[in-house]
C-alpha cells in the first residue's frame, strides 16, 4: 500500500510540474493572428502568432518575446477603461521590432530584426480565433 501511495504522489507531482512548464501565461487579453512575414531577400512565410496583452502595458509574443504596449499615443492609456494597445514594441534577445495594429486590433503590420540571422523582416497579419 505504501508503494502505491508513493507512486501516486510521484505521478501527481510530475503532472503538476509538466502543466506548469507548458502553461500559457495568464493574460488580460489573448489574441491570435495569421501573419505573413517577408525577409529582406523577399522570402515569405506564414505563421500563427499568439499574443498576450495585459492592462499594465506589458505583453508576450508567442510566449517568448516580451512586449511593451502603447495605446492612443502614450504608454498605459486605453479606450473606455479597456486598453486597446495599438503599438507593440518587441524587445528580446533574439528579435526586436515594432508592430502597429488598427484601433480594433483586427489588422497588424510592422517590421523587425532577427539577431541570429542579422536580417530584417516585415509583417502583415489578420486577427483570427485562438485555437486555445
Amino acid at each position: 500500500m505504501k508503494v502505491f501511495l508513493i507512486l501516486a504522489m510521484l505521478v501527481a507531482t510530475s503532472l503538476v510540474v509538466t502543466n506548469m512548464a507548458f502553461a500559457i501565461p495568464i493574460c488580460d487579453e489573448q489574441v491570435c493572428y495569421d501573419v505573413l512575414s517577408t525577409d529582406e531577400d523577399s522570402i515569405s512565410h506564414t505563421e500563427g502568432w499568439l499574443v498576450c496583452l495585459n492592462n499594465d502595458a506589458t505583453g508576450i509574443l508567442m510566449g517568448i518575446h516580451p512586449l511593451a504596449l502603447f495605446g492612443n499615443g502614450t504608454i498605459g492609456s486605453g479606450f473606455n477603461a479597456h486598453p486597446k494597445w495599438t503599438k507593440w514594441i518587441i524587445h528580446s534577445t533574439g528579435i526586436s521590432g515594432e508592430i502597429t495594429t488598427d484601433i480594433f486590433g483586427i489588422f497588424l503590420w510592422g517590421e523587425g530584426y532577427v539577431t541570429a540571422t542579422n536580417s530584417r523582416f516585415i509583417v502583415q497579419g489578420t486577427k483570427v480565433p485562438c485555437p486555445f
Side-chain angles (χ1 to χ4, degrees), residues 20-129:
M20 291 174 66
F22 294 104
I24 296 172
I26 303 295
C27 299
D28 293 323
E29 185 176 0
Q30 180 176 302
V31 292
C32 295
Y33 290 89
D34 274 337
V35 174
L36 174 68
S37 63
T38 306
D39 67 18
E40 54 194 8
D41 295 325
S42 298
I43 298 172
S44 296
H45 66 277
T46 58
E47 57 190 7
W49 281 11
L50 173 64
V51 184
C52 172
L53 305 173
N54 294 310
N55 293 332
D56 66 357
T58 63
I60 300 173
L61 172 63
M62 299 173 69
I64 301 170
H65 306 292
L67 298 173
L69 306 174
F70 298 82
N72 200 22
T74 58
I75 192 165
S77 65
F79 300 91
N80 300 323
H82 182 70
K84 296 295 183 191
W85 307 117
T86 57
K87 181 79 66 182
W88 310 345
I89 306 298
I90 306 166
H91 56 95
S92 75
T93 8
I95 188 172
S96 60
E98 183 177 304
I99 305 297
T100 303
T101 69
D102 63 281
I103 192 171
F104 303 107
I106 296 172
F107 301 103
L108 64 80
W109 58 94
E111 61 181 83
Y113 179 78
V114 179
T115 310
T117 59
N118 197 27
S119 62
R120 296 192 176 283
F121 63 91
I122 58 170
V123 295
Q124 295 177 339
T126 304
K127 187 175 181 178
V128 295

